[in-house]
Amino acid sequence: MAFFVRLMQRKSTIAFLMTLPLIILILVLVAYPAGFAVYISMLNRGMTKFVGLGNFEFLLGRHTFWMVVYQSCLFTFSAVFFKVIIGFVIAHFVHNIPTKGQRKWRGMLLVPWVIPPAMSTLAWRWLFDPSYSAFNWILEHLGLDRIYWLGETGWARFSVILVNVWFGAPFFMIMYLASLKSVPEQLYEAASIDGATWWQRTRYVTLPMMRNIIAITVLSSVIGTFASFNIVAVLTNGGPLGTTQVFATYAFGVGILGGNLPLGASVSLFMVPILAVAAIFILRGVMKRGSEA
């Protein structure tokens, strides 16, 4: 009894008990589905026979799967790159606005991020429609030819990336803006006294102070973009001819529409090592800078 009382008085025990509900929730909602996905990925199509890594070997031998890998990586890294740049520029723009006007601009610029992705993507699909496209109407009035935005491979990929950037850039903006607010003004004043230019202040003051926030934001966006489903499914549904197919839509098509749940689970599980490598690479830099500080 005395041991139990001493155990309950420890801070570590109290901390564990306070986090226990969250641990149980994670196990129920994350660990169990992940484990079940691993289990069914090792079954045959009828889920009656254990085939080990047979589904993974089958996917590795298909050209379509490697095209999905290429397109997923292209979609993710292109979209995240432009979100980083646009978010950084807009954050600086809003940061330099007088305090009274910042709330209005923050509210307007956050609108794309707070609208449900499926709803906003439907609006973009109308903008890309070959017959009623507002973009094509503008091109025609400028004397240019119509563009089949979602019917040609290059333009379809461009359209998917554009919508993802439009949707995700406000998240980068608000994260960077919060980070900019935490940079001491004394550092900028000292740099100005030393004759530093705008670019030098950005390179040697702003970026070093923001790099951990930038890394965490990029990691969050890489994970979300790589597993994105709504934008591709609503805009192109993987077309034309599968040239905008990504992991999420391919897994849905194979597993749900095609009735092959084990193969669909195998497609989804291929995202894990790719995202793990990205997470390790980004978080290693964050931890290294944290230990140096």
Side-chain angles (χ1 to χ4, degrees), residues 31-245:
Y32 172 74
F36 185 70
V38 173
Y39 167 71
I40 65 172
S41 70
M42 297 183 180
L43 302 177
N44 64 348
R45 180 169 188 151
M47 301 178 67
T48 57
K49 181 181 177 182
F50 184 79
V51 295
L53 301 178
N55 289 320
F56 298 95
E57 294 176 0
F58 173 76
L59 288 172
L60 291 174
R62 288 178 62 85
H63 171 73
T64 303
F65 174 75
W66 288 109
M67 186 169 66
V68 169
V69 174
Y70 166 75
Q71 287 162 179
S72 298
C73 293
L74 175 68
F75 171 58
T76 300
F77 294 114
S78 299
V80 172
F81 173 78
F82 286 109
K83 282 187 280 190
V84 168
I85 302 299
I86 295 172
F88 191 80
V89 171
I90 297 176
H92 273 75
F93 167 74
V94 176
H95 181 64
N96 292 321
I97 294 175
T99 306
K100 291 184 179 180
Q102 284 192 20
R103 182 178 300 178
K104 176 182 66 177
W105 280 99
R106 286 199 303 265
M108 289 190 298
L109 292 170
L110 275 174
V111 168
W113 188 53
V114 298
I115 298 175
M119 184 183 300
S120 58
T121 307
L122 278 174
W124 277 98
R125 185 170 181 175
W126 277 103
L127 290 174
F128 292 133
D129 186 91
S131 300
Y132 309 103
S133 171
F135 295 144
N136 282 341
W137 181 84
I138 294 172
L139 291 175
E140 286 183 340
H141 280 73
L142 293 175
L144 302 175
D145 294 332
R146 283 174 168 261
I147 294 175
Y148 293 95
W149 298 97
L150 305 179
E152 298 178 3
T153 298
W155 286 113
R157 288 173 175 169
F158 169 80
S159 302
V160 169
I161 293 170
L162 174 64
V163 175
N164 187 272
V165 171
W166 176 84
F167 176 75
F171 171 70
F172 280 74
M173 181 271 295
I174 203 67
M175 293 293 289
Y176 292 169
L177 185 59
S179 182
L180 282 170
K181 297 291 184 184
S182 65
V183 179
E185 286 293 332
Q186 294 86 342
L187 296 179
Y188 291 116
E189 293 173 1
S192 298
I193 292 172
D194 291 337
T197 63
W198 174 85
W199 168 244
Q200 290 173 327
R201 291 196 301 272
T202 301
R203 181 179 178 183
Y204 296 108
V205 178
T206 305
L207 289 177
M209 295 296 292
M210 292 179 60
R211 55 188 178 181
N212 281 351
I213 292 296
I214 292 174
I216 297 299
T217 307
V218 166
L219 176 59
S220 174
S221 183
V222 166
I223 294 172
T225 306
F226 203 79
S228 177
F229 174 82
N230 290 337
I231 292 175
V232 175
V234 174
L235 276 185
T236 65
N237 197 27
L241 299 177
T243 53
T244 59
Q245 198 81 269

Side-chain angles (χ1 to χ4, degrees), residues 243-255:
T243 53
T244 59
Q245 198 81 269
V246 293
F247 273 109
T249 55
Y250 186 58
F252 179 79
V254 170

